[in-house]
């Protein structure tokens, strides 16, 4: 299977420069780029007539199993029912131009295998299994009157509870055993959990270090959910590689990010969407009231981190019916960053975080042939990425056209 795109403007995301030319894909990879390439027999040729071509996008914070914004309700759903939802959610992501996603809790090896084997349409899936939470933490979805945990490995919840260094080690090792690409820890309270506060810290430093040690032993890393500077800073000190959300970071956080070569993955669009539509899609009232605390602060944090040179990665964290806003994150970030920097967050920087440098987020020869043919220049107008239903002409994944606009 070979695909040749003729007369494209090919973006080098690193330099921010376009080159006119052709791009040929073979066996799922970018085989060659240049002018006047020849098409071997059986090659599909598309003349894109001067269209802008960029690498397929990477969203580094999604929950493909989040069929409802009431994450606690997943526990009582049939896993097969949740999988049907996940397939649809993943197909939507691919249609928006996301050819790789990092799931930040919920997705397992089954979904990743199903995508890799072509059983379901969707982005390449980097999964962590269940996120680790302390009792009463961000992935403990019991209401106050509930005592019993259902920790059955096949239940569709997004987290598992572990208390104490030994239990955290066991939980991390168990997720790694199942092929986790990273370990997710809940290091502070959150919006979508019933009994914790946004400003709480979660897990002891020893527990966070234990998770980091286990991940590093397996050549993996830890991604930590954290909002406040207090929570972010202790997670960074414990050695996590990425901080998710980070809406309330301070100057010390910025120093720690830079010193540790750590990544910040803001997820602004989820607060925007939760504010607009959260209650409609099942977010409980008590969670909806927490949204304001973090919404405005998120943009301020992004600007502060960007100015200081912190490595920023694209994330969205959308739940339930709000997944359709995935690309609106581009527009929100463009309020404080140049379009090329926002695009880097969703390509080269996301690839660096996930260990896919040279493989994804680039049009370089040898990379996965994941790319978008666009109507317009996203470096001039971020709307080209923010409104994919109108502006993305083709999505190519592994050298195959998987979506074409009408
Ligand atoms: Zn989170
Ligand atoms: Zn999340």
């Amino acid at each position: 299977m070979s695909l040749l795109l003729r007369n494209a403007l090919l973006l080098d995301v690193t330099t921010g420069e376009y080159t006119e030319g052709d791009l040929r894909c073979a066996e799922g990879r970018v085989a060659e780029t240049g002018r006047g390439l020849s098409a071997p027999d059986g090659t599909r040729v598309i003349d894109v007539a001067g269209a802008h071509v960029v690498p397929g996008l990477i969203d580094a914070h999604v929950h493909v199993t989040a069929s409802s914004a009431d994450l606690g309700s997943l526990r009582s759903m049939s896993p097969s029912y949740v999988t049907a939802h996940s397939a649809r959610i993943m197909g939507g992501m691919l249609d928006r131009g996301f050819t790789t996603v990092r799931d930040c809790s919920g997705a397992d090896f089954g979904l990743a295998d199903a995508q890799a084997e072509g059983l379901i349409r969707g982005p390449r899936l980097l999964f962590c299994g269940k996120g680790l939470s302390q009792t009463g933490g961000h992935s403990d979805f019991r209401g106050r009157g509930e005592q019993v945990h259902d920790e059955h490995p096949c239940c569709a919840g997004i987290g598992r509870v572990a208390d104490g260094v030994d239990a955290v080690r066991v939980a991390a090792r168990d997720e790694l055993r199942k092929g986790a690409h990273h370990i997710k820890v809940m290091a502070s309270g959150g919006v979508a959990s019933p009994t914790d506060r946004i400003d709480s810290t979660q897990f002891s430093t020893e527990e966070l270090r234990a998770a980091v040690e286990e991940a590093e032993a397996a050549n993996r890393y830890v991604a930590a959910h954290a909002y406040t500077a207090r929570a972010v800073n202790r997670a960074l000190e414990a050695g996590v590689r990425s901080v998710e959300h980070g809406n309330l970071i301070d100057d010390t956080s910025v120093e720690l990010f830079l010193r540790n070569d750590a990544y910040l993955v803001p997820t602004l669009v989820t607060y925007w969407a939760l504010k607009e539509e959260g209650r409609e899609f099942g977010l409980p009232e008590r969670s909806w009231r927490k949204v304001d605390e973090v919404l405005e602060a998120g943009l301020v944090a992004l600007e502060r981190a960007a100015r200081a040179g912190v490595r920023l990665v694209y994330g969205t964290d959308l739940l339930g019916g709000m997944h359709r806003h995935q690309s609106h994150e581009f527009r929100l970030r463009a309020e404080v960053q140049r379009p090329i920097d926002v695009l880097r967050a969703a390509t080269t920087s996301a690839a660096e975080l996930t260990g896919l440098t040279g493989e994804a987020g680039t049009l370089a020869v040898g990379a996965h042939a994941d790319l978008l043919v666009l109507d317009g220049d996203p470096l001039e107008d971020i709307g080209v990425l923010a409104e994919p239903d109108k502006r993305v002409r083709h999505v190519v994944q592994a050298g195959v056209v998987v979506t074409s606009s009408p």
Side-chain angles (χ1 to χ4, degrees):
M1 249 320 233
S2 180
L3 173 73
L4 177 63
L5 302 180
R6 282 211 190 283
N7 303 313
L9 286 171
L10 304 169
L11 180 65
D12 179 334
V13 179
T14 306
T15 63
E17 305 282 332
Y18 288 101
T19 310
E20 281 182 60
D22 305 344
L23 181 149
R24 189 171 70 82
C25 318
E27 278 146 33
R29 301 274 173 171
V30 177
E32 53 179 340
T33 56
R35 282 168 188 272
L37 298 182
S38 55
D41 280 351
T43 300
R44 177 175 177 192
V45 180
I46 303 176
D47 186 342
V48 301
H52 296 79
V53 172
V54 302
L57 305 170
I58 303 169
D59 187 337
H61 193 123
V62 302
H63 298 279
V64 301
T65 62
S67 56
S68 162
D70 181 2
L71 293 174
S73 72
L74 292 178
R75 291 179 303 160
S76 56
M77 291 181 191
S78 157
S80 52
Y81 175 74
V82 174
T83 301
H85 268 286
S86 301
R88 215 168 83 155
I89 288 168
M90 288 171 67
M93 290 175 171
L94 186 62
D95 291 339
R96 288 186 283 273
F98 292 91
T99 48
T100 302
V101 296
R102 183 181 67 148
D103 192 273
C104 275
S105 73
D108 68 359
F109 59 93
L111 273 176
D113 288 353
Q115 188 280 330
E117 292 170 21
L119 299 175
I120 55 177
R121 295 180 74 239
R124 179 176 300 109
L125 186 63
L126 308 172
F127 64 94
C128 66
K130 291 192 177 168
L132 277 48
S133 170
Q134 66 169 53
T135 288
H138 182 49
S139 283
D140 183 344
F141 284 101
R142 290 174 300 172
R144 285 189 298 175
E146 269 180 280
Q147 198 55 40
V148 179
H149 260 301
D150 185 358
E151 294 275 275
H152 188 275
C154 292
C155 91
I158 66 158
R160 59 191 287 170
V161 170
D163 291 299
V165 166
D166 289 349
V168 167
R169 283 193 199 283
V170 171
R173 287 175 183 174
D174 188 46
E175 295 305 339
L176 292 162
R177 173 182 74 85
K178 290 183 272 188
H181 160 269
H182 56 286
I183 294 295
K184 173 79 180 294
V185 299
M186 302 304 183
S188 87
V191 174
S193 40
T195 59
D196 60 356
R197 299 164 49 99
I198 290 270
D199 62 6
S200 63
T201 66
Q202 297 182 359
F203 280 133
S204 66
T205 300
E206 291 70 29
E207 288 168 317
L208 292 173
R209 287 218 174 97
V212 169
E213 238 178 70
E214 294 304 327
E216 286 180 353
N219 284 316
R220 296 291 186 261
Y221 67 90
V222 171
H225 158 109
Y227 281 101
T228 61
R230 187 163 72 114
V232 167
N233 298 354
R234 58 203 286 288
L236 287 169
E237 272 159 6
V240 307
R241 182 167 162 88
S242 72
V243 168
E244 312 301 310
H245 321 304
N247 298 52
L248 300 161
I249 55 171
D250 63 11
D251 289 333
T252 307
S253 324
V254 168
E255 275 169 40
L256 285 166
F257 274 111
L258 295 172
R259 193 190 311 152
N260 295 358
D261 288 332
Y263 295 77
L264 175 60
V265 187
T267 59
L268 302 173
V269 69
T270 199
Y271 315 109
W272 178 86
L274 283 171
K275 192 70 199 166
E276 304 275 315
E277 307 175 340
R279 285 180 299 183
E280 223 177 287
F281 287 114
L283 186 76
E285 183 73 24
R286 62 184 177 273
S287 294
W288 187 75
R289 277 187 255 112
K290 295 186 189 177
V291 173
D292 263 340
E293 286 182 59
V294 288
L295 179 55
E296 266 309 296
L299 263 181
V300 175
L302 174 62
E303 192 167 19
R304 182 197 287 248
R307 217 181 316 120
V310 173
R311 300 154 187 239
L312 292 160
V313 172
Y314 193 92
T316 53
D317 200 25
L318 291 161
L319 308 175
M322 291 169 281
H323 276 109
R324 68 188 198 286
H325 299 301
Q326 188 177 22
S327 306
H328 189 64
E329 179 80 16
F330 282 106
R331 203 180 280 293
L332 293 174
R333 291 191 185 204
E335 286 176 30
V336 297
Q337 283 194 287
R338 296 179 305 163
I340 183 66
D341 291 325
V342 186
L343 183 55
R344 283 173 180 145
T347 52
T348 45
S349 301
E352 247 178 58
L353 164 60
T354 54
L356 292 174
T357 297
E359 295 273 309
T362 172
L363 299 176
V365 171
H368 290 294
D370 299 343
L371 53 91
L372 313 180
V373 179
L374 302 171
D375 267 327
D377 181 358
L379 305 188
E380 297 288 324
D381 172 11
I382 201 71
V384 173
L385 296 171
E387 287 155 40
D389 48 333
K390 297 188 194 106
R391 314 291 293 274
V392 175
R393 219 188 278 173
H394 302 290
V395 178
V396 174
Q397 185 185 39
V400 176
V401 178
V402 290
T403 302
S404 291
S405 62

